[in-house]
Amino acid sequence: MSDAHWQDFLARVVTPRFPDGLTVSEGMGQWRDRVTSRITHEPSRLVWIVTPDRPGLRQDIDAIRAAYRSEFAQQSVGVLAGSGCAAF
């Protein structure tokens, strides 16, 4: 995936759902292919979103994950959700 493709995805799919802000960290991912069982490494991005709970939140996150899986040919896209105390 090119940086331009990622930036386009971020602008079209993620930012409209979370316009108040987010953080993107780059990393290196490792996963086991479900078909071949081979361990594969590839660049990855972690998107950190701090937001209050609201109606439709889960659906917005699921829509982003589905779009990413489809556009970038991924077998899975992880999500970690939790509650905490934050202030800005």
Side-chain angles (χ1 to χ4, degrees):
M1 150 191 24
S2 71
D3 190 53
H5 193 180
W6 164 251
Q7 291 299 327
D8 177 66
F9 179 84
L10 189 64
R12 281 184 304 102
V13 179
V14 184
T15 301
R17 290 178 171 89
F18 297 97
D20 290 338
L22 52 91
T23 299
V24 177
S25 299
E26 293 187 11
M28 181 57 66
Q30 175 179 305
W31 57 282
R32 182 187 311 264
D33 187 287
R34 292 180 183 163
V35 176
T36 66
S37 293
R38 286 189 1 223
I39 301 295
T40 302
H41 300 85
E42 64 184 2
S44 63
R45 289 179 172 84
L46 301 171
V47 179
W48 298 84
I49 301 168
V50 178
T51 185
D53 194 8
R54 61 172 169 74
L57 177 60
R58 183 64 185 193
Q59 291 83 357
D60 282 344
I61 293 169
D62 288 343
I64 292 167
R65 293 174 65 222
Y68 191 90
R69 265 194 312 275
S70 175
E71 286 193 38
F72 297 101
Q74 298 296 299
Q75 291 178 354
S76 66
V77 175
V79 64
L80 173 65
S83 61
C85 181
F88 293 92

